[in-house]
Every structure is written in structure tokens, then in C-alpha cells.
């Protein structure tokens, strides 16, 4: 068992990792001790995936609206639940997809008693936006919940401690600035904005927000709140709030910018439509797919009316709508929209343009999700060829194509090609970002994973060690990326019988994980199991048994007595008796 390591290059976020041990213990209590009832977990989509992956091997049923898109229907759930006569606990994941309309929410509300009559533990999972919709529009259902579990640092918007900026508290006298003072004030605000955007480029979003709010203090009294220049600043603020996960504030600023541009430029102006596309992207992030679809479909309709089919923004609308359907798990519709977008990108930008390559990558992502790796590889190869021809070899887009292509080769078990392609990505990342950048560390880890599959552990050890050093330098010693590197490095050491080094690495990982997640997280149980396995290899059976028992104790509390991982560890202990 190993803590999973992401294989895709992504920008590191400077946020603290929430501690979820109490939340996992609460789920364990439901599975172990609750006879029946309705429960609600509030978590973003990625966290929901983690929860489902942890519990899916146990004696539970899982219905995921991402896999089966459509509005809420008790009859659908009832027919499915009837096939689970021996299952007491069921998870209903991504509920936010099923409550996109008032009708869906009413159906859920009216089914409250019928859900309870199933006499099962029914655990619904939804995003913070879904939670808000339930509390406002499905109160009867909401009031029936026995327990709500928050796997998020989300708070209701009225509890967020965000500074309020308005012209009322600006200490600049009206009509008393001469022309020089006016220009100097605008220049000061421009410098603040430029510095803020540099912070944003480095993912220092809180620093960025502070400077943008200072710029807002200066600019609103000078320009007013309906000036076109303010719409640009509001867009920057919206994007920053969105990056910080403060979606209510982000939406408010997007709406301000949209209103200014609609009034001054008109609904059909490209800048107005661009703002609508950004707002739709926010809606997609928070699960407001109905609103996102409405906004994009309206933008698309306006585009087609004003500019026709063969326009860059039309292609973008098709592509973004495809992304929404892909997120909903409706891959068929997503493909249809991508098929509309692709010829437009090819016609407008040319077959060898980077935007065309990006559309190929969207298609590849769909095929990867549906397990059609051969098609995905073909599309990524096409994207890679275009990217190399248009941008050049030494570009981050090219390196990312190589990286993702390598991951697909690994999924197919073609480790020779996976290694060959990853070795092309790695030097590009080194050249562009430097040898000490997190992107480079991720590429090291991906290549090390390939070496492990090929049983070339010496090379893997070296690369994991390099990645570890970079992550410590980039994020500090108590970061999840550091713990993950230690865990993978320990596995590689154990495979080459370097057991003392493996134990040391696992102990380092354990210390970090406890600080990040507490004592009762599944990652802690995995780590105890890995330590026990190493002591088994050393024939220190007493110590191995102690670590297996620690792992078992967590699994019982978090996963339940009959989960496959719980039974797996219990059998290991039984074999030692």
C-alpha cells in the first residue's frame, strides 16, 4: 500500500493541509455503529473522489452522479438500493450534479421519509455550493440529517472574515486632487496591480489580494465604480478570490465586471462575452453547472448571431461547454462539442496552432477517462507534434505533452516508451524552470515510478531522493509532497533490501502525516502497514505485529470492521499468531 503520488504537472498551491482525522472517524462511526439515517458530507469534487476511493473496497454501496448524470430521482435510487440487500451503508456521491433545478430539489425534499424508510445509512456527498442549495431550498430534507461532516475549510459566506472595501472609508477628499496628484494616485494603483499579478503568477494569492484591495481603495474614489478600467480590476479580484476558494466574493466581482461591460460595451462585445466565459468557469468550479451552461449557451448564441460560426470565441464556447459535460461525466456530449470546436480551431487558427493542440488534449483527456488509451495516445502525439512545430521543443507546453504521454504509456504497461518520453520532458523542465522547481520534482517522481515498474530500483532511489530534496526546499519539511516522496523512497529501498533506510524514510513520513492529518487518517494506517511489512522482511515479527495492530485500529475506526483493507490487515495479524 502506498500513498498515491500525482503524475500530472500542476502549479503548487501555498495552502495548509486540513486535518481530517475527526471527519474520517465520524464516517467510521456511521459504518460501525449507526443502524440507519441520513448523513451529509460536504467536500469538493477531488476530496469526494478520495473518500470514495478509500471506502469503495468495504461493505458499502456507491452511487456516483458523476458516473450516472441526471436529475435527482428517488425511484432510481430505490431500484439501485434494492440490489444491495446485504449492504447497510451507501454513499451517494456528487449530489450537486443531481440538484441543478428547483424540481430536483423538490423531489429530494419530498423523498425524505421514503429515504428514511429504506432503513440504511445513506451518506450524501456534495460540494459547498450543493450544501448551500440544500439548506436554502430543501429544508425538509436538510432538517432530517443526523450528521453533517465538513471535509473542507469552506464556511458560509456570512462567516468569512474578508475586508469590505468601499468608497465610504477611503481617506481621499473628493474634488481636491489636482491633475498631478490624480495621475500619481493612478500610477501608484497601477504599480500595486502589477506587483499583485506577479504574486499571482507565483501562486501567492493572499499577497496578491492584499495589493489588489489597496488598488481598489485608490481607484474607486478616482474613477467611480462604473468605469471601464474598474471592470479590469474587478476581474483580477474575482480571479484571485477564486484561486483562494472564496467563491462568493469571486462571483460578486465577476458580476460587477459583467455589469460594467454590458452597460458600456454591450452584451455582444468580445470583452463582455469573455467576462461571461470566466464567470461560467467559476460556476463550473463550484458545481453550478446549470448556471454555467445557461451563461455559455447564451454567450454562444450571441457569438453566433453577432460574429458567426467561424470566430475564435465561438470555438472557445464550444470547448468550454465540452468541459462542463466532461465534468458531468457525459462524455458523449463532451465529444460532440469538442468535435464542433476542433474544426473551428483548425480553420481559424490553423491545423498547427497551439489552440488546436489544446483541443486534441481535451479529447485525449476524455479517452483516458474512458480507458481508451490508444486513442488518447494518438491525440496526444498529434498535440505534441503541433506544439513542437509552433512553440518549439524547449517550451513548458511541449514538456507537459511529453509528461502526459508518458503517463498514458505507463497505464498501458509500455514502460520502455514511457521512460523514453519522460526523459524528453525532464530536461525541458530543468531548462525552463530550473533543477530545483516542483515541476522538475514531479517529473523526477514520474520517471522513478517507471524505473520501479522496471525493477531498476537503484535509478529510482536516486530520482526519488532528488525529488525529496526539491520538495523540502520548495515547501518545507512538513508538506504532503515531502511525506509522499519519503513513502515512495521507502518502497524502493525495501525492494533492494535496504531495510534500515526504508524504516527511516517511513518514520519521517509518519511524523509529517501525523502533523498534517492527525492520528486517525487512512494515510497513517497505510504508513503503519508499510512499516510492519519492512519489519516482517527483517523477521522482527513482534514489532511487525505492533504496527499491524496500530494500522488495524485506525482501519476499524475509519473504514469499519468489514472493509477489505481492515480484513486484509486482520488476516496478517492472524497469520502471525
Amino acid at each position: 500500500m502506498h500513498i498515491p503520488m500525482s503524475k500530472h504537472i500542476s502549479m503548487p498551491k501555498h495552502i495548509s493541509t486540513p486535518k481530517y482525522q475527526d471527519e474520517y472517524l465520524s464516517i467510521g462511526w456511521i459504518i460501525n455503529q449507526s443502524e440507519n439515517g441520513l448523513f451529509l458530507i460536504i467536500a469538493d469534487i477531488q476530496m469526494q473522489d478520495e473518500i470514495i476511493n478509500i471506502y469503495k473496497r468495504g461493505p458499502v454501496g456507491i452511487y456516483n452522479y458523476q458516473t450516472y448524470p441526471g436529475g435527482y430521482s428517488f425511484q432510481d435510487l430505490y431500484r439501485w438500493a434494492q440490489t444491495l440487500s446485504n449492504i447497510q451503508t451507501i454513499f451517494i456521491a456528487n449530489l450537486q450534479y443531481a440538484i441543478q433545478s428547483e424540481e430536483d430539489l423538490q423531489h429530494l425534499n419530498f423523498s425524505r421519509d421514503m429515504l428514511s424508510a429504506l432503513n440504511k445509512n445513506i451518506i450524501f456527498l456534495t460540494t459547498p455550493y450543493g450544501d448551500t442549495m440544500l439548506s436554502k431550498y430543501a429544508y425538509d430534507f436538510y432538517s432530517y440529517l443526523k450528521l453533517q461532516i465538513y471535509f473542507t475549510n469552506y464556511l458560509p459566506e456570512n462567516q468569512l472574515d474578508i475586508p469590505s472595501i468601499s468608497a465610504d472609508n477611503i481617506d481621499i477628499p473628493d474634488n481636491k486632487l489636482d491633475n498631478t496628484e490624480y495621475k500619481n494616485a493612478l500610477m501608484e494603483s497601477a504599480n500595486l496591480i502589477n506587483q499583485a499579478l506577479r504574486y499571482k503568477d507565483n501562486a501567492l494569492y493572499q499577497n496578491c489580494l492584499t495589493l489588489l484591495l489597496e488598488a481598489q481603495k485608490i481607484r474607486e474614489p478616482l474613477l467611480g465604480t462604473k468605469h471601464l478600467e474598474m471592470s479590469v480590476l474587478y476581474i483580477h479580484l474575482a480571479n484571485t478570490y477564486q484561486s483562494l476558494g472564496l467563491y462568493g466574493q469571486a462571483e460578486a466581482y465577476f458580476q460587477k465586471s459583467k455589469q460594467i461591460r454590458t452597460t458600456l460595451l454591450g452584451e455582444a462585445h468580445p470583452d463582455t462575452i469573455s467576462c461571461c466565459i470566466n464567470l461560467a468557469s467559476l460556476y463550473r468550479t463550484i458545481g453550478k453547472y446549470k448556471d454555467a451552461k445557461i451563461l455559455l449557451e447564451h454567450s454562444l448564441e450571441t457569438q453566433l448571431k453577432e460574429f458567426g460560426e467561424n470566430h475564435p470565441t465561438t470555438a472557445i464556447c464550444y470547448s468550454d461547454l465540452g468541459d462542463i459535460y466532461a465534468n458531468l461525466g457525459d462524455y458523449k456530449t463532451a465529444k460532440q462539442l469538442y468535435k464542433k470546436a476542433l474544426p473551428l480551431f483548425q480553420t481559424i487558427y490553423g491545423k498547427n496552432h497551439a489552440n488546436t493542440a489544446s483541443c486534441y488534449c481535451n479529447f485525449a483527456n476524455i479517452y483516458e477517462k474512458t480507458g481508451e488509451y490508444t486513442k488518447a495516445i494518438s491525440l496526444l502525439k498529434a498535440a505534441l507534434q503541433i506544439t513542437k512545430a509552433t512553440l518549439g521543443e524547449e517550451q513548458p507546453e511541449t514538456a507537459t505533452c511529453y509528461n502526459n504521454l508518458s503517463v498514458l504509456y505507463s497505464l498501458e504497461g509500455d514502460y520502455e516508451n514511457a521512460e523514453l518520453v519522460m526523459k524528453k520532458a525532464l530536461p525541458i523542465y530543468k531548462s525552463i524552470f530550473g533543477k530545483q522547481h516542483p515541476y522538475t520534482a514531479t517529473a523526477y517522481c514520474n520517471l522513478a515510478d517507471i524505473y520501479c515498474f522496471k525493477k531498476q530500483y537503484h535509478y529510482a532511489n536516486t530520482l526519488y531522493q532528488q525529488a525529496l530534496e526539491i520538495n523540502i526546499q520548495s515547501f518545507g519539511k512538513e508538506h504532503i509532497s515531502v511525506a509522499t516522496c519519503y513513502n515512495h523512497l521507502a518502497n524502493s529501498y525495501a525492494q533492494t533490501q535496504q531495510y534500515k533506510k526504508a524504516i527511516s524514510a517511513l518514520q519521517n513520513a509518519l511524523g509529517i502525516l501525523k502533523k498534517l492529518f492527525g492520528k486517525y487518517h487512512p494515510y497513517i494506517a497505510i504508513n503503519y502497514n508499510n512499516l510492519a511489512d519492512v519489519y516482517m522482511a527483517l523477521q522482527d515479527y513482534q514489532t511487525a505485529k505492533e504496527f499491524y495492530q496500530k494500522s488495524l485500529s485506525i482501519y476499524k475506526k475509519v473504514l469499519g470492521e468489514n472493509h477489505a483493507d481492515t480484513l486484509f490487515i486482520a488476516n496478517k495479524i492472524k497469520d502471525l499468531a
Side-chain angles (χ1 to χ4, degrees), residues 127-413:
T127 58
Y129 165 73
D131 178 51
T132 300
M133 296 296 289
L134 292 171
S135 65
K136 287 183 178 178
Y137 304 112
Y139 181 76
D140 288 346
F141 165 82
Y142 207 74
S143 65
Y144 237 50
L145 295 172
K146 283 190 174 181
L147 182 66
Q148 294 161 262
I149 306 171
Y150 286 85
F151 276 84
T152 173
N153 41 6
Y154 157 82
L155 288 172
E157 290 177 17
N158 60 5
Q159 294 182 31
L160 289 169
D161 185 20
I162 302 298
S164 175
I165 305 298
S166 68
D168 296 335
N169 55 20
I170 305 298
D171 190 21
I172 300 179
D174 292 336
N175 302 321
K176 291 187 179 180
L177 289 176
D178 61 26
N179 192 48
T180 301
E181 291 175 319
Y182 180 86
K183 288 182 178 179
N184 287 342
L186 286 180
M187 181 62 70
E188 179 187 355
S189 66
N191 289 335
L192 288 170
I193 293 170
N194 290 333
Q195 179 60 47
L197 297 181
R198 284 192 288 272
Y199 279 132
K200 183 181 178 184
D201 288 341
N202 290 302
L204 299 172
Y205 300 116
Q206 190 60 56
N207 297 40
C208 175
L209 178 62
T210 300
L211 294 185
L212 289 176
L213 290 174
E214 287 297 319
Q216 184 185 13
K217 278 185 180 181
I218 297 171
R219 289 207 160 193
E220 280 190 342
L222 299 179
L223 302 176
T225 59
K226 298 180 181 180
H227 194 282
L228 193 58
E229 282 294 317
M230 292 306 301
S231 77
V232 178
L233 177 55
Y234 292 153
I235 285 286
H236 290 321
L237 279 161
N239 287 329
T240 305
Y241 276 122
Q242 184 172 350
S243 297
L244 287 167
L246 302 173
Y247 301 127
Q249 284 73 18
E251 181 178 358
Y253 277 106
F254 276 133
Q255 291 286 9
K256 284 184 179 182
S257 182
K258 178 174 174 285
Q259 184 177 359
I260 293 170
R261 293 182 182 192
T262 301
T263 301
L264 299 180
L265 303 177
E267 197 173 62
H269 192 278
D271 288 349
T272 307
I273 294 173
S274 174
C275 186
C276 291
I277 292 172
N278 285 331
L279 180 56
S281 175
L282 171 68
Y283 287 151
R284 186 170 71 244
T285 299
I286 62 178
K288 296 175 72 171
Y289 295 105
K290 180 181 177 181
D291 291 334
K293 284 172 61 180
I294 291 172
L295 203 54
L296 280 173
E297 285 168 354
H298 179 69
S299 297
L300 179 60
E301 182 182 353
T302 304
Q303 272 294 126
L304 291 171
K305 180 180 178 181
E306 298 293 329
F307 303 103
E309 180 85 8
N310 296 316
H311 190 276
T313 308
T314 306
I316 291 170
C317 285
Y318 280 136
S319 183
D320 283 4
L321 273 171
D323 291 342
I324 289 174
Y325 280 103
N327 288 333
L328 284 168
D330 187 349
Y331 302 131
K332 180 180 178 181
T333 304
K335 284 180 183 178
Q336 291 172 349
L337 288 163
Y338 290 147
K339 284 179 180 178
K340 289 185 177 182
L342 181 58
L344 292 178
F345 282 127
Q346 290 174 328
T347 302
I348 296 166
Y349 294 103
K351 293 183 178 180
N352 296 317
H353 192 277
N355 284 356
T356 305
S358 176
C359 198
Y360 283 139
C361 290
N362 288 338
F363 268 116
N365 181 50
I366 294 294
Y367 285 126
E368 180 183 345
K369 289 180 182 297
T370 56
E372 299 174 87
Y373 300 138
T374 302
K375 291 181 180 179
I377 287 171
S378 177
L379 286 167
L380 274 177
K381 283 182 176 179
L384 176 62
Q385 185 176 357
I386 295 169
T387 304
K388 288 171 65 177
T390 56
L391 302 177
E393 180 78 10
E394 297 290 321
Q395 293 294 328
E397 293 86 352
T398 305
T400 299
C401 281
Y402 280 135
N403 179 81
N404 295 344
L405 187 57
S406 175
V407 171
L408 279 165
Y409 281 136
S410 290
L411 290 171
E412 279 208 320

Side-chain angles (χ1 to χ4, degrees), residues 529-547:
N529 173 77
N530 292 345
L531 275 165
D533 287 346
V534 175
Y535 280 108
M536 284 291 292
L538 287 169
Q539 298 184 344
D540 185 349
Y541 301 122
Q542 181 59 40
T543 304
K545 185 177 181 180
E546 291 172 3
F547 279 115

Side-chain angles (χ1 to χ4, degrees), residues 441-459:
T442 302
Y444 279 143
C445 288
N446 291 344
L447 185 55
D449 288 345
I450 294 167
Y451 283 135
C452 281
F453 284 124
K454 297 176 69 176
K455 301 187 184 304
Q456 296 176 357
Y457 299 111
H458 173 72
Y459 295 126

